Amino acid sequence: MIARGVMLGADQPVILHMLDIPPAAEALNGVKMELVDAAFPLLKGVVATTDVVEACTGVNIAVMVGGFPRKEGMERKDVMSKNVSIYKSQASALEKHAAANCKVLVVANPANTNALILKEFAPSIPEKNISCLTRLDHNRALGQISERLNVQVSDVKNVIIWGNHSSTQYPDVNHATVRTPAGEKAVRELVADDAWLNGEFITTVQQRGAAIIKARKLSSALSAASAACDHIRDWVLGTPEGTWVSMGVYSDGSYNVPAGLIYSFPVYCQNGEWKIVQGLTIDEFSRKKLDLTAEELSEEKALAYSCLS
Ligand SMILES: NC(=O)c1ccc[n+]([C@@H]2O[C@H](COP(=O)([O-])OP(=O)(O)OC[C@H]3O[C@@H](n4cnc5c(N)ncnc54)[C@H](O)[C@@H]3O)[C@@H](O)[C@H]2O)c1
Ligand SMILES: O=C(O)C[C@H](O)C(=O)O
């Protein structure tokens, strides 16, 4: 997808740096061969390496997918100890060797807490440059609404994923709209079923990662890769006027979310920077859900530090 221009645009040449661990070196080299064989016009170079310094040197965008994936029956925090130590060491390599304004997207789970560990162990990388992926959850929410209303997914916008990329995340449609022939209409009004929106819709999105693992015996791949491209593309090239997306970013205390967590917020992007959308009304139902997922993130933060010590 990156080599085809899906992430950065059809006129942006790319050089791909791919990192894996030594047991996967041969497979990694196979991926490199396939990239060469695909003769992508935009692909100006491929570095396939097991050396983290070589992988990080000079990169402008770092998509961090390396790690141990969740298996059926595991919660994302079960993979915590395996993954936070990886993110601590990769933080230092990025800090020392990546390009000065490198944008970092953490995909590997537990994504928010891995991103937080990366931030804390790479203090010279500005916090605005470190994010985690909740765009997949955002896209899942758009997909569920589009199916329910039998409308094009591209006509639905401004859902929000609040909080953790976990089963406590809060998919919120209170500000979401659908483009209809009669103008923009609120999702809540069109669905006209608060019990579904406050119940099954939320749990379906929260549990979708687990449902994919159960069905495929592997975690989501196509939809995750597509969401990672969406995340970086909007961050670098900007969100359309009047449209926001969800990104896991460093909390500044907006919406009374504790500062110092990587928490998913609605954001606009312009000139390569994200800004949290301000001033949205939060009703009592939503408030509880925002707080619950923040509590889980505070617990994960404590657990991550205990794994590292
Ligand atoms: N945030 C999201 O929306 C989202 C979506 C899908 C998957 N995920 C997560 O992304 C991660 C990757 O998932 P996957 O299905 O591609 O897993 P995978 O096992 O297929 O791939 C992980 C790769 O990371 C490599 N790796 C392991 N340790 C490494 C290290 N120290 N340095 C570099 N590479 C290392 C492995 O060798 C493997 O090639 C998992 O943590 C998964 O849970 C997150
Ligand atoms: O659920 C997982 O562990 C994989 C991924 O985070 C997903 O949401 O599909």
Side-chain angles (χ1 to χ4, degrees), residues 12-84:
Q12 177 59 59
V14 291
I15 300 171
L16 280 176
H17 287 208
M18 306 187 297
L19 171 70
D20 213 312
I21 46 177
E26 199 182 349
L28 184 65
N29 199 40
V31 176
K32 179 176 176 176
M33 291 192 293
E34 284 215 74
L35 283 165
V36 171
D37 296 350
F40 291 115
L42 287 176
L43 190 59
K44 300 303 176 194
V46 182
V47 175
T49 181
T50 56
D51 174 2
V52 67
V53 171
E54 189 185 9
C56 290
T57 298
V59 297
N60 301 104
I61 291 170
V63 182
M64 312 297 286
V65 294
F68 185 85
R70 176 164 72 131
K71 302 275 164 63
E72 193 173 350
M74 293 166 84
E75 277 298 315
R76 292 186 182 99
K77 59 184 163 201
D78 298 334
V79 293
M80 174 85 70
S81 64
K82 292 192 190 318
N83 286 317
V84 287

Side-chain angles (χ1 to χ4, degrees), residues 70 76 107 109 136-137 140 165 208-210 212-213 219-220:
R70 176 164 72 131
R76 292 186 182 99
V107 175
N109 284 310
L136 175 55
D137 311 287
R140 285 168 172 161
H165 173 65
R208 191 68 158 188
I212 304 273
I213 292 170
S219 73
S220 58

Side-chain angles (χ1 to χ4, degrees), residues 66-70 75-85 87 106-117 132-133 164-166 262 296-297 300-301 303-304:
F68 185 85
R70 176 164 72 131
E75 277 298 315
R76 292 186 182 99
K77 59 184 163 201
D78 298 334
V79 293
M80 174 85 70
S81 64
K82 292 192 190 318
N83 286 317
V84 287
S85 56
Y87 283 81
V106 177
V107 175
N109 284 310
N112 301 54
T113 299
N114 286 341
L116 184 68
I117 294 301
C132 83
L133 189 72
N164 200 0
H165 173 65
S166 79
I262 300 272
E296 184 185 52
L297 280 169
E300 275 190 18
K301 181 177 179 177
L303 183 61

